[in-house]
Amino acid sequence: MGDGADAGMDAVQRRLMFEDECILVDENDNVVGHESKYNCHLMEKIESENLLHRAFSVFLFNSKYELLLQQRSATKVTFPLVWTNTCCSHPLYRESELIAENALGARNAAQRKLFDELGIPAEDVPVKEFIPLGRMLYKAPSDGKWGEHELDYLLFIIRDVKVNPNPDEVADIKYVNREQLKELLRKADAGEGGLKLSPWFRLVVDNFLFKWWDHVEKGTLKEAADMKTIHKLI
């Protein structure tokens, strides 16, 4: 299982790295195969084989229109202790998460991972309540060895939920309003307190989030959706 350089890898994260099969896609989001989570996040594989996998990013707002953020756990292989949106993961190469119609595969995966990472019960986040707003393609190194190359489905949901974070996945959580998020961005830019934001969250913030937040508050999110375009943010 990997080489000696992986010796320090957390046991839970190691198991997920080898057991989880991500969905490989081309730049137009056509499924071309599957590969282990481990290989999908090795920069040398990403660069040499141009491995691109499907992902999703959930943005969960409560009824006060505050966004739930998480800080990734210290044991995460990629981007440990980085603050990011509610939940970011991958649909797996399995029937229920490969369904393309209305992004149902990604929505099924989002419900699964919100429970795995944040302990949010499935009944609090019904699959039909996720609104797919768009897709983006990006590449981001984490450190010398690991990184991301993802075609990411951006899923919004407005629900009051019960949260019970899994410490293997999540170090901390917080709800933020717009002004609090802007303050977090300022601190990250200034390098204050070692605060870091994930590159995919930053891309969504810089390109889409605040205008989509307007739609969250107005109840017009479906009008903002554009699932035809794949925004190439590389």
Side-chain angles (χ1 to χ4, degrees), residues 12-17 19-22 37 41 54-60 68 70 72-73 76-78 84-94 96-97 104-123 125-127 130 148 150 152-153 155 157 161-170 173 200:
V12 172
Q13 298 300 331
R14 172 186 286 269
R15 179 174 60 75
L16 295 173
M17 274 287 189
E19 287 183 4
D20 284 359
E21 287 284 316
C22 294
K37 183 177 169 187
H41 293 85
R54 198 175 276 167
F56 65 83
S57 284
V58 173
F59 292 74
L60 183 147
L68 179 60
Q70 68 153 280
R72 292 162 65 85
S73 79
K76 295 292 274 189
V77 175
T78 55
T84 191
N85 50 288
T86 315
C87 179
C88 329
S89 190
H90 319 96
L92 300 180
Y93 194 79
R94 56 171 69 157
S96 62
E97 297 186 11
L104 183 55
R107 290 186 287 133
N108 282 333
Q111 185 189 60
R112 171 177 61 82
K113 286 302 291 183
L114 283 168
F115 179 72
D116 285 354
E117 294 190 4
L118 293 159
I120 297 173
E123 59 267 25
V125 281
V127 167
F130 290 98
E148 293 287 5
E150 294 187 331
D152 198 2
Y153 284 63
L155 307 174
I157 185 167
V161 298
K162 295 181 282 296
V163 184
N164 180 24
N166 171 0
D168 283 323
E169 297 284 345
V170 176
I173 58 166
W200 61 87

Side-chain angles (χ1 to χ4, degrees), residues 23 32 39 222:
I23 301 165
V32 296
N39 283 340
K222 287 187 175 151

Side-chain angles (χ1 to χ4, degrees), residues 58-206:
V58 173
F59 292 74
L60 183 147
F61 296 82
N62 62 17
S63 56
K64 294 191 285 191
Y65 306 129
E66 295 168 325
L67 173 61
L68 179 60
L69 303 183
Q70 68 153 280
Q71 184 184 32
R72 292 162 65 85
S73 79
T75 57
K76 295 292 274 189
V77 175
T78 55
F79 303 101
L81 294 176
V82 166
W83 282 91
T84 191
N85 50 288
T86 315
C87 179
C88 329
S89 190
H90 319 96
L92 300 180
Y93 194 79
R94 56 171 69 157
E95 193 175 355
S96 62
E97 297 186 11
L98 279 161
I99 303 166
E101 188 181 350
N102 299 323
L104 183 55
R107 290 186 287 133
N108 282 333
Q111 185 189 60
R112 171 177 61 82
K113 286 302 291 183
L114 283 168
F115 179 72
D116 285 354
E117 294 190 4
L118 293 159
I120 297 173
E123 59 267 25
D124 282 8
V125 281
V127 167
K128 69 180 190 326
E129 295 290 325
F130 290 98
I131 300 172
L133 282 190
R135 292 177 292 174
M136 70 176 186
L137 195 163
Y138 77 95
K139 186 188 289 185
S142 172
D143 57 21
K145 180 171 183 176
W146 304 101
E148 293 287 5
H149 189 209
E150 294 187 331
L151 203 151
D152 198 2
Y153 284 63
L154 306 175
L155 307 174
F156 276 46
I157 185 167
I158 305 164
R159 300 280 292 189
D160 289 323
V161 298
K162 295 181 282 296
V163 184
N164 180 24
N166 171 0
D168 283 323
E169 297 284 345
V170 176
D172 199 4
I173 58 166
K174 66 170 97 183
Y175 280 97
V176 294
N177 62 27
R178 291 173 195 244
E179 294 315 308
Q180 289 164 328
L181 178 58
K182 284 175 182 167
E183 178 62 10
L184 272 185
L185 297 171
R186 186 194 66 72
K187 284 184 174 167
D189 287 345
E192 279 182 31
L195 184 91
K196 292 194 177 86
L197 300 176
S198 76
W200 61 87
F201 181 44
R202 195 66 204 241
L203 284 169
V204 175
V205 168
D206 291 345

